PDB file of all heavy atoms in Angstrom:
ATOM      1  N   ASP X 215      13.898   8.984 -21.653  1.00 94.00           N
ATOM      2  CA  ASP X 215      14.817   8.914 -22.834  1.00 94.00           C
ATOM      3  C   ASP X 215      14.781   7.450 -23.296  1.00 94.00           C
ATOM      4  O   ASP X 215      14.932   6.562 -22.518  1.00 94.00           O
ATOM      5  CB  ASP X 215      16.288   9.213 -22.300  1.00 94.00           C
ATOM      6  CG  ASP X 215      17.323   9.244 -23.404  1.00 94.00           C
ATOM      7  OD1 ASP X 215      17.190   8.413 -24.347  1.00 94.00           O
ATOM      8  OD2 ASP X 215      18.246  10.039 -23.265  1.00 94.00           O
ATOM      9  N   PRO X 216      14.517   7.347 -24.621  1.00 92.00           N
ATOM     10  CA  PRO X 216      14.362   5.902 -25.141  1.00 92.00           C
ATOM     11  C   PRO X 216      15.599   5.076 -24.892  1.00 92.00           C
ATOM     12  O   PRO X 216      15.421   3.891 -24.774  1.00 92.00           O
ATOM     13  CB  PRO X 216      14.243   6.181 -26.644  1.00 92.00           C
ATOM     14  CG  PRO X 216      13.599   7.543 -26.757  1.00 92.00           C
ATOM     15  CD  PRO X 216      14.259   8.324 -25.669  1.00 92.00           C
ATOM     16  N   ASP X 217      16.796   5.661 -24.710  1.00 93.00           N
ATOM     17  CA  ASP X 217      17.935   4.861 -24.417  1.00 93.00           C
ATOM     18  C   ASP X 217      17.889   4.104 -23.102  1.00 93.00           C
ATOM     19  O   ASP X 217      18.602   3.195 -22.904  1.00 93.00           O
ATOM     20  CB  ASP X 217      19.247   5.752 -24.435  1.00 93.00           C
ATOM     21  CG  ASP X 217      19.611   6.183 -25.834  1.00 93.00           C
ATOM     22  OD1 ASP X 217      19.054   5.654 -26.813  1.00 93.00           O
ATOM     23  OD2 ASP X 217      20.429   7.184 -25.932  1.00 93.00           O
ATOM     24  N   TRP X 218      17.022   4.525 -22.181  1.00 93.00           N
ATOM     25  CA  TRP X 218      16.903   3.962 -20.865  1.00 93.00           C
ATOM     26  C   TRP X 218      16.450   2.460 -21.000  1.00 93.00           C
ATOM     27  O   TRP X 218      16.923   1.630 -20.350  1.00 93.00           O
ATOM     28  CB  TRP X 218      15.825   4.682 -20.016  1.00 93.00           C
ATOM     29  CG  TRP X 218      15.663   4.118 -18.700  1.00 93.00           C
ATOM     30  CD1 TRP X 218      16.459   4.281 -17.624  1.00 93.00           C
ATOM     31  CD2 TRP X 218      14.596   3.238 -18.246  1.00 93.00           C
ATOM     32  NE1 TRP X 218      15.975   3.651 -16.491  1.00 93.00           N
ATOM     33  CE2 TRP X 218      14.782   2.996 -16.851  1.00 93.00           C
ATOM     34  CE3 TRP X 218      13.469   2.685 -18.832  1.00 93.00           C
ATOM     35  CZ2 TRP X 218      13.962   2.177 -16.082  1.00 93.00           C
ATOM     36  CZ3 TRP X 218      12.617   1.906 -18.113  1.00 93.00           C
ATOM     37  CH2 TRP X 218      12.854   1.660 -16.745  1.00 93.00           C
ATOM     38  N   PHE X 219      15.628   2.207 -22.077  1.00 91.00           N
ATOM     39  CA  PHE X 219      15.107   0.832 -22.172  1.00 91.00           C
ATOM     40  C   PHE X 219      16.185  -0.152 -22.648  1.00 91.00           C
ATOM     41  O   PHE X 219      16.116  -1.360 -22.390  1.00 91.00           O
ATOM     42  CB  PHE X 219      13.911   0.825 -23.148  1.00 91.00           C
ATOM     43  CG  PHE X 219      12.714   1.596 -22.610  1.00 91.00           C
ATOM     44  CD1 PHE X 219      12.600   2.956 -22.950  1.00 91.00           C
ATOM     45  CD2 PHE X 219      11.779   0.986 -21.749  1.00 91.00           C
ATOM     46  CE1 PHE X 219      11.535   3.666 -22.485  1.00 91.00           C
ATOM     47  CE2 PHE X 219      10.715   1.754 -21.344  1.00 91.00           C
ATOM     48  CZ  PHE X 219      10.547   3.069 -21.636  1.00 91.00           C
ATOM     49  N   SER X 220      17.168   0.316 -23.382  1.00 89.00           N
ATOM     50  CA  SER X 220      18.219  -0.544 -23.775  1.00 89.00           C
ATOM     51  C   SER X 220      19.447  -0.439 -22.936  1.00 89.00           C
ATOM     52  O   SER X 220      20.490  -1.093 -23.247  1.00 89.00           O
ATOM     53  CB  SER X 220      18.635  -0.135 -25.270  1.00 89.00           C
ATOM     54  OG  SER X 220      19.103   1.247 -25.294  1.00 89.00           O
ATOM     55  N   LEU X 221      19.403   0.174 -21.847  1.00 88.00           N
ATOM     56  CA  LEU X 221      20.478   0.253 -20.856  1.00 88.00           C
ATOM     57  C   LEU X 221      20.843  -1.120 -20.380  1.00 88.00           C
ATOM     58  O   LEU X 221      20.023  -1.895 -19.922  1.00 88.00           O
ATOM     59  CB  LEU X 221      20.191   1.077 -19.643  1.00 88.00           C
ATOM     60  CG  LEU X 221      21.219   1.401 -18.551  1.00 88.00           C
ATOM     61  CD1 LEU X 221      22.384   2.168 -19.177  1.00 88.00           C
ATOM     62  CD2 LEU X 221      20.619   2.031 -17.365  1.00 88.00           C
ATOM     63  N   GLU X 222      22.084  -1.512 -20.563  1.00 87.00           N
ATOM     64  CA  GLU X 222      22.599  -2.856 -20.248  1.00 87.00           C
ATOM     65  C   GLU X 222      22.718  -3.073 -18.707  1.00 87.00           C
ATOM     66  O   GLU X 222      23.230  -2.101 -18.045  1.00 87.00           O
ATOM     67  CB  GLU X 222      23.819  -3.227 -20.946  1.00 87.00           C
ATOM     68  CG  GLU X 222      23.690  -3.344 -22.471  1.00 87.00           C
ATOM     69  CD  GLU X 222      24.915  -3.739 -23.150  1.00 87.00           C
ATOM     70  OE1 GLU X 222      25.912  -3.946 -22.451  1.00 87.00           O
ATOM     71  OE2 GLU X 222      24.886  -3.948 -24.362  1.00 87.00           O
ATOM     72  N   LEU X 223      22.309  -4.186 -18.196  1.00 82.00           N
ATOM     73  CA  LEU X 223      22.384  -4.525 -16.757  1.00 82.00           C
ATOM     74  C   LEU X 223      23.539  -5.462 -16.502  1.00 82.00           C
ATOM     75  O   LEU X 223      23.939  -6.232 -17.386  1.00 82.00           O
ATOM     76  CB  LEU X 223      21.099  -5.134 -16.273  1.00 82.00           C
ATOM     77  CG  LEU X 223      19.859  -4.233 -16.488  1.00 82.00           C
ATOM     78  CD1 LEU X 223      18.592  -4.934 -16.022  1.00 82.00           C
ATOM     79  CD2 LEU X 223      19.917  -2.889 -15.865  1.00 82.00           C
ATOM     80  N   PRO X 224      24.146  -5.427 -15.312  1.00 81.00           N
ATOM     81  CA  PRO X 224      25.208  -6.351 -15.011  1.00 81.00           C
ATOM     82  C   PRO X 224      24.718  -7.810 -15.129  1.00 81.00           C
ATOM     83  O   PRO X 224      23.564  -8.158 -14.761  1.00 81.00           O
ATOM     84  CB  PRO X 224      25.566  -6.073 -13.511  1.00 81.00           C
ATOM     85  CG  PRO X 224      25.068  -4.647 -13.271  1.00 81.00           C
ATOM     86  CD  PRO X 224      23.813  -4.491 -14.191  1.00 81.00           C
ATOM     87  N   SER X 225      25.586  -8.692 -15.614  1.00 72.00           N
ATOM     88  CA  SER X 225      25.125 -10.090 -15.861  1.00 72.00           C
ATOM     89  C   SER X 225      25.118 -10.792 -14.593  1.00 72.00           C
ATOM     90  O   SER X 225      25.905 -10.534 -13.634  1.00 72.00           O
ATOM     91  CB  SER X 225      26.101 -10.767 -16.848  1.00 72.00           C
ATOM     92  OG  SER X 225      27.415 -10.708 -16.311  1.00 72.00           O
ATOM     93  N   ALA X 226      24.178 -11.806 -14.473  1.00 66.00           N
ATOM     94  CA  ALA X 226      24.047 -12.597 -13.287  1.00 66.00           C
ATOM     95  C   ALA X 226      24.188 -14.107 -13.739  1.00 66.00           C
ATOM     96  O   ALA X 226      24.352 -14.349 -14.920  1.00 66.00           O
ATOM     97  CB  ALA X 226      22.650 -12.396 -12.644  1.00 66.00           C
ATOM     98  N   SER X 227      24.232 -14.979 -12.748  1.00 69.00           N
ATOM     99  CA  SER X 227      24.418 -16.343 -13.087  1.00 69.00           C
ATOM    100  C   SER X 227      23.199 -16.943 -13.799  1.00 69.00           C
ATOM    101  O   SER X 227      22.087 -16.887 -13.280  1.00 69.00           O
ATOM    102  CB  SER X 227      24.581 -17.188 -11.751  1.00 69.00           C
ATOM    103  OG  SER X 227      24.423 -18.520 -12.015  1.00 69.00           O
ATOM    104  N   PRO X 228      23.406 -17.405 -15.075  1.00 72.00           N
ATOM    105  CA  PRO X 228      22.231 -17.922 -15.821  1.00 72.00           C
ATOM    106  C   PRO X 228      21.530 -19.131 -15.026  1.00 72.00           C
ATOM    107  O   PRO X 228      20.360 -19.205 -15.106  1.00 72.00           O
ATOM    108  CB  PRO X 228      22.835 -18.373 -17.120  1.00 72.00           C
ATOM    109  CG  PRO X 228      24.063 -17.591 -17.251  1.00 72.00           C
ATOM    110  CD  PRO X 228      24.594 -17.419 -15.873  1.00 72.00           C
ATOM    111  N   TYR X 229      22.392 -19.968 -14.395  1.00 71.00           N
ATOM    112  CA  TYR X 229      21.838 -21.067 -13.636  1.00 71.00           C
ATOM    113  C   TYR X 229      20.907 -20.595 -12.543  1.00 71.00           C
ATOM    114  O   TYR X 229      19.786 -21.059 -12.318  1.00 71.00           O
ATOM    115  CB  TYR X 229      22.896 -21.986 -13.138  1.00 71.00           C
ATOM    116  CG  TYR X 229      22.402 -23.120 -12.285  1.00 71.00           C
ATOM    117  CD1 TYR X 229      21.708 -24.182 -12.850  1.00 71.00           C
ATOM    118  CD2 TYR X 229      22.511 -23.071 -10.906  1.00 71.00           C
ATOM    119  CE1 TYR X 229      21.211 -25.250 -12.065  1.00 71.00           C
ATOM    120  CE2 TYR X 229      22.046 -24.046 -10.081  1.00 71.00           C
ATOM    121  CZ  TYR X 229      21.432 -25.163 -10.708  1.00 71.00           C
ATOM    122  OH  TYR X 229      20.868 -26.167  -9.902  1.00 71.00           O
ATOM    123  N   ALA X 230      21.472 -19.605 -11.734  1.00 73.00           N
ATOM    124  CA  ALA X 230      20.659 -19.105 -10.581  1.00 73.00           C
ATOM    125  C   ALA X 230      19.368 -18.474 -11.133  1.00 73.00           C
ATOM    126  O   ALA X 230      18.271 -18.611 -10.467  1.00 73.00           O
ATOM    127  CB  ALA X 230      21.577 -18.123  -9.807  1.00 73.00           C
ATOM    128  N   HIS X 231      19.456 -17.683 -12.240  1.00 71.00           N
ATOM    129  CA  HIS X 231      18.309 -17.056 -12.762  1.00 71.00           C
ATOM    130  C   HIS X 231      17.259 -18.078 -13.138  1.00 71.00           C
ATOM    131  O   HIS X 231      16.071 -17.919 -12.847  1.00 71.00           O
ATOM    132  CB  HIS X 231      18.659 -16.221 -13.991  1.00 71.00           C
ATOM    133  CG  HIS X 231      17.510 -15.643 -14.744  1.00 71.00           C
ATOM    134  ND1 HIS X 231      17.055 -16.193 -15.901  1.00 71.00           N
ATOM    135  CD2 HIS X 231      16.730 -14.578 -14.454  1.00 71.00           C
ATOM    136  CE1 HIS X 231      16.004 -15.481 -16.355  1.00 71.00           C
ATOM    137  NE2 HIS X 231      15.796 -14.519 -15.455  1.00 71.00           N
ATOM    138  N   THR X 232      17.671 -19.211 -13.767  1.00 77.00           N
ATOM    139  CA  THR X 232      16.708 -20.282 -14.161  1.00 77.00           C
ATOM    140  C   THR X 232      15.971 -20.847 -12.928  1.00 77.00           C
ATOM    141  O   THR X 232      14.830 -21.088 -12.979  1.00 77.00           O
ATOM    142  CB  THR X 232      17.411 -21.308 -15.007  1.00 77.00           C
ATOM    143  OG1 THR X 232      18.043 -20.744 -16.130  1.00 77.00           O
ATOM    144  CG2 THR X 232      16.442 -22.326 -15.441  1.00 77.00           C
TER     145      THR X 232
END
Side-chain angles (χ1 to χ4, degrees):
D215 182 326
D217 288 346
W218 182 78
F219 296 92
S220 58
L221 184 65
E222 293 185 357
L223 304 180
S225 59
S227 164
Y229 175 75
H231 173 258
T232 302

